[in-house]
Amino acid sequence: MNNVNELNKWANSHTYFTLDLLRIALGVFLFVKGVKFITNIQYLVDLISPIDKIGGGMFLVHYITPAHMIGGIMIAFGLLTRWAIIAQLPILMGAIFVNFAGEMHSENLFLALGILAICIFFLVYGSGKHSADYYFKMHQ
């Protein structure tokens, strides 16, 4: 817990508005991706078909969509950002794995790698100064 407090202090002293915009854009992107999956469920089923042989295909369908939608909203507002990103990491690693297990789509692979890199950055950096986490912390 002490390490998280030190990371938050460092992030709040080195905050930049562009990083907050990047966090908001990441959250909006994940939310829109979740909406895309929920409106076109067959697209999501086709995406996870290479790893459906392992089992749990319906569990994945019911985990990915709400995790993207709820996690995207939480990341955009900066509310429990690290926890929301931890929920995104298995999905993003699975997206990278699906590209190697099934048919390779270089666009999806690079998109998943980029989003994974941004998520790892915000996992370390936190939500920043312009976030709900910071607001609630200051108004306790």
Side-chain angles (χ1 to χ4, degrees), residues 2 19 22 24 26 29 60 64 71 73-74 89 118 125 128:
N2 194 21
L19 290 178
L22 180 64
I24 292 168
L26 172 67
F29 173 79
L60 290 175
I64 292 171
I73 291 170
M74 291 174 68
L89 292 179
I118 294 170
Y125 181 77

Side-chain angles (χ1 to χ4, degrees), residues 72-92:
I73 291 170
M74 291 174 68
I75 292 169
F77 285 109
L79 181 64
L80 300 173
T81 304
R82 288 189 174 108
W83 286 106
I85 287 178
I86 288 172
Q88 302 298 320
L89 292 179
I91 299 170
L92 294 170

